[in-house]
Amino acid sequence: VGATTRAVASRAGVNVATLHYHFGSKEGLYRAVLEAAGRGALPAIPPGDAPDRVAHIVDALFRFGEEHPGLARLALLDALAGPDGGPGPGEERVAWAAEALRPHLGGADGAETARIIVAVVDAVQATCPPPSAASEDVAEAGEDTPPPAQRVRQAVVAAALRLSGLG
């Protein structure tokens, strides 16, 4: 937040003029970082009923976030900063989720619902430590309860279904 372009350039090992040449300003550099953090392809969502489709959307968002570990935090910070400066790092994910929800929303846009779903996934990923392989794969002996990360994802799916009016 309080970093100067001179300090950023120094840390990157480049001349401050080079930084300004490529990004124009600190805001331009910030936007480039946000864009790079969210770059990547989101999967096609298979056809299915609304609950299955929402579960696939949520699961894909979690996987995408795991592949882009800084994205959730950056997207939330950008959302808190306000709408100035153009689309944030979650916008491609929002458009993707809205498009996947469209067949189940009776022609409604779904962008606001998708925006909330993406924000909830980001909030979970930014505040919860990633699950360790051991906690995911090993359940207590005789216990039918899913591992914590799976329960969190199930809760997010349930919330997404309620938010979208599909569940």
Side-chain angles (χ1 to χ4, degrees):
V1 179
T4 64
T5 52
R6 187 171 307 284
V8 170
S10 173
R11 180 126 187 228
V14 299
N15 183 306
V16 72
T18 302
L19 187 141
H20 283 283
Y21 175 79
H22 287 285
F23 301 105
S25 65
K26 185 163 56 169
E27 177 68 22
L29 174 61
Y30 176 71
R31 289 281 148 209
V33 168
L34 292 177
E35 181 184 319
R39 195 173 293 137
L42 290 154
I45 300 296
D49 63 3
D52 284 344
R53 205 158 171 97
V54 170
H56 283 296
I57 290 167
V58 169
D59 190 52
L61 287 169
F62 270 106
R63 281 194 319 273
F64 191 82
E66 289 162 359
E67 294 166 4
H68 301 81
L71 178 60
R73 235 185 176 109
L74 285 171
L76 290 172
L77 288 171
D78 191 58
L80 289 171
D84 299 340
E91 292 306 310
E92 287 181 17
R93 294 178 295 151
V94 169
W96 168 84
E99 184 60 32
L101 287 171
R102 190 177 324 271
H104 301 287
L105 296 177
D109 179 19
E112 192 57 32
T113 300
R115 189 176 319 286
I116 293 168
I117 292 169
V118 169
V120 169
V121 170
D122 284 345
V124 168
Q125 288 190 309
T127 58
C128 296
S132 68
S135 69
E136 282 295 313
D137 297 333
V138 179
E140 295 293 324
E143 191 177 314
D144 290 333
T145 306
Q150 186 179 348
R151 288 194 312 265
V152 168
R153 288 184 188 203
Q154 289 170 344
V156 172
V157 169
L161 286 167
R162 291 197 64 180
L163 284 167
S164 63
L166 298 172

